[in-house]
Amino acid sequence: MTIAGEDVDARERMAVLNPATEQVAGECGVCGPELLDRAMEAARGAADAWAADLERRRRALAEIAAAVRREAGELAAVLTAEQGKPLKAALFEVGEVARWFEAFAAMEPAQEELATEDGGHAVVRRVPLGVVAAITPWNFPLLLVGWKAAPALLAGNTMVLKPSPFTPLSTLLLGRVIAAAVPPGVFSAVAGGDDLGARMTGHPVPRKISFTGSVRTGAAVMRAAAEGLKRVTLELGGNDAAIVLDDADPDAVESPLFWGAFANSGQICAGIKRLYVPESLADPILERLVDRAKRTPMGDGTDPAVKLGPIQNRPQFDRVSALTADAVARGGTVAAGGHRLDRPGYFHAPTIVTGVGPGVPLVDEEQFGPVLPVMVYRDVEDAIAAANATEYGLSGSVWSADVDRAARVAGRLDAGTVRVNDHLTFSPRVPFGGRGVSGLGVENGPWGLDEFSDLQVLRTPGPRP
Ligand code: NAD
């Protein structure tokens, strides 16, 4: 762990499993209450000086981006060892971290000047919150550090960050890289179980909790944050629908639909979790998806031929297996996959299920794994209604040869992000956030940057000084 600018170990340690082998990938110290206090006090102590110099912060973010690119090989190797994703995907994720730090290094905290109706003048500006506690899940342990630390630090906050106990190692390594580019205490990375997350949200020092994870934990974070009126940004689960329109070209949409659902072995908050296809195109699209599911290599992410890794942990593997078995018990048909790979590791073959609909948990809930239910519709109005019949509202997509037509349908999806002929692109300049139970607030872009600050109004008499 990195606390107050120092490498810190702890007597209590935890082992981290490699999900491709079920062997120990490494271990790390566990942050107890005293170490957490030390990290929080250091973050508070460093906050004023850090908040005072925007140009210094810009330079630090640029330095972090360069250091992340230099260390990419090691970061990606550790990420693959503990998370399971293919090395190429791990390298992409590390690159995204650097891209986020570069983008935020160039962003400007908002400031506006107003003339008031009584002849006075007001400056509306953004001031940092102080200490931010950040908590991340196990599917994109590094990318999400970029999404949280880059804007929080640029806005002038300090941060204490905790990764998931399933994937702490790559984050602790990245934490060391970030901490080396900033004054002691500005950024600390600690590791521990869910109890450490709860202790962070209940700790008196942080002024904001930036959380990515499940809906259930998000609600617990919000309850804890209410005490002390901490700000929260919650990026939670999704049950994204993709709707194919009847003029789509099956050859053109098949690959992006497959990867929209199966990239990261389906463990993406805003991945395709339900696919709606028109009756007229059901056969050609299913045929292509099933063929791709059967021939896409799944295995240990260190093998360069592998395109899909394991499910990251045992409880999630069991959940995905149970949802698939339940869908079959309720009359669903497995068109591809449906089985565990005959090897060690949490490998669930890429699976496509047909003949299911509302009322089946595989359709109604977030599966978060390599299993895609495909539903056939007759009337696009029915597909839109089915897509919206969920409490989730993260993102959605519509696929068509006619972009305007697709955009009109996409605009009717009840989600924070709706897309045409794409499901998975993200940008540091474009806000991302969920409606409904998928979250509260947004990350990225100037909107995400704003969430790491409070508005402050400076009023002066008379016209602009
Ligand atoms: P999780 O909610 O179980 O855990 C997330 C983090 O919260 C972990 O670090 C965990 O230790 C911590 N935590 C657990 N209990 C806590 C508590 N009471 N107080 C504070 N922290 C606590 O989620 P997970 O299973 O690790 O991740 C999968 C979920 O994350 C999926 O639902 C997925 O959709 C979601 N997710 C959302 C986004 C997004 O941007 N919307 C991105 C990635 C993942």
Side-chain angles (χ1 to χ4, degrees):
M1 296 180 275
T2 307
I3 295 175
E6 291 172 6
D7 265 6
V8 173
D9 211 338
R11 217 168 308 135
E12 189 190 344
R13 299 180 67 76
M14 62 185 188
V16 180
L17 288 188
N18 179 332
T21 61
E22 300 176 58
Q23 304 294 310
V24 173
E27 55 171 57
C28 64
V30 174
C31 178
E34 280 167 30
L35 283 180
L36 181 63
D37 283 346
R38 206 198 292 175
M40 290 295 181
E41 287 309 329
R44 177 154 66 185
D48 283 353
W50 182 245
D53 188 347
L54 175 61
E55 291 315 312
R56 166 83 186 80
R57 302 202 296 274
R58 279 192 206 293
R59 283 198 305 277
L61 263 64
E63 265 174 53
I64 292 166
V68 167
R69 292 200 191 281
R70 273 197 309 275
E71 304 294 330
E74 196 187 353
L75 285 164
V78 176
L79 179 57
T80 291
E82 68 175 352
Q83 205 285 334
K85 65 187 67 193
L87 200 50
K88 204 171 150 197
L91 279 166
F92 172 78
E93 182 166 343
V94 175
E96 290 292 270
V97 176
R99 187 159 80 98
W100 251 253
F101 274 97
E102 281 155 2
F104 276 98
M107 276 191 215
E108 199 63 52
Q111 175 158 319
E112 215 174 308
E113 307 211 3
L114 307 171
T116 58
E117 67 296 333
D118 56 2
H121 177 254
V123 179
V124 183
R125 64 183 198 127
R126 290 274 167 186
V127 292
L129 299 166
V131 178
V132 175
I135 300 174
T136 53
W138 43 259
N139 58 340
F140 284 95
L142 297 187
L143 179 136
L144 294 170
V145 177
W147 285 33
K148 295 185 187 312
L153 295 181
L154 193 270
N157 304 283
T158 59
M159 175 171 275
V160 177
L161 182 136
K162 183 199 94 70
S164 163
F166 288 113
T167 53
L169 303 175
S170 54
T171 304
L172 293 183
L173 203 56
L174 175 59
R176 198 184 277 167
V177 171
I178 295 173
V182 297
V186 167
F187 185 89
S188 291
V190 296
D194 296 351
D195 56 326
L196 176 60
R199 237 181 293 127
M200 288 168 71
T201 54
H203 199 281
V205 166
R207 298 307 314 141
K208 171 172 177 119
I209 316 294
S210 176
F211 174 82
T212 300
S214 63
V215 174
R216 196 186 146 138
T217 309
V221 167
M222 196 167 168
R223 279 193 295 274
E227 199 65 44
L229 291 167
K230 296 176 178 117
R231 276 67 176 143
V232 289
T233 298
L234 305 173
E235 294 289 1
L236 310 178
N239 194 10
D240 289 10
I243 301 177
V244 179
L245 301 186
D246 57 10
D247 63 352
D249 172 0
D251 285 323
V253 300
E254 171 270 322
S255 168
L257 282 176
F258 179 85
W259 290 109
F262 288 95
N264 213 40
S265 290
Q267 303 161 114
I268 302 186
C269 55
I272 299 175
K273 311 251 166 76
R274 299 175 289 154
L275 175 60
Y276 294 89
V277 295
E279 210 169 25
S280 58
L281 291 181
D283 286 346
I285 287 179
L286 264 169
E287 221 168 77
R288 286 163 175 75
L289 288 175
V290 164
D291 176 56
R292 192 178 284 270
K294 286 182 174 163
R295 67 185 158 83
T296 300
M298 175 177 264
D300 192 315
T302 55
D303 175 349
V306 157
K307 294 262 173 36
L308 292 172
I311 292 175
Q312 199 283 322
N313 58 75
R314 182 70 203 235
Q316 186 61 18
F317 176 86
D318 290 343
R319 176 174 157 73
V320 171
S321 303
L323 282 170
T324 309
D326 169 82
V328 173
R330 290 170 193 264
T333 302
V334 169
H339 56 277
R340 177 179 194 155
L341 297 198
D342 185 19
R343 53 159 296 162
Y346 311 130
F347 289 99
H348 191 284
T351 298
I352 292 172
V353 177
T354 59
V356 286
V360 175
L362 177 65
V363 179
D364 292 348
E365 297 175 17
E366 181 187 42
Q367 66 274 48
F368 218 62
V371 181
L372 178 68
V374 181
M375 279 70 70
V376 179
Y377 73 83
R378 278 204 182 136
D379 183 339
V380 71
E381 292 299 322
D382 295 338
I384 296 167
N388 286 338
T390 171
E391 290 193 306
Y392 290 103
L394 201 50
S395 68
S397 60
V398 179
W399 303 72
S400 166
D402 179 341
V403 171
D404 292 338
R405 181 182 171 217
R408 279 195 300 276
V409 175
R412 293 175 59 197
L413 296 181
D414 192 2
T417 301
V418 293
R419 307 165 192 268
V420 172
N421 295 341
D422 166 53
H423 204 98
L424 277 186
T425 49
F426 298 95
S427 157
R429 306 200 168 278
V430 178
F432 176 75
R435 287 167 60 81
V437 302
S438 286
L440 193 70
V442 298
E443 294 188 289
N444 301 331
W447 304 269
L449 184 60
D450 278 355
E451 294 207 11
F452 286 105
S453 61
D454 277 333
L455 273 181
Q456 185 183 55
V457 178
L458 171 64
R459 287 200 67 145
T460 47
R464 183 179 178 166

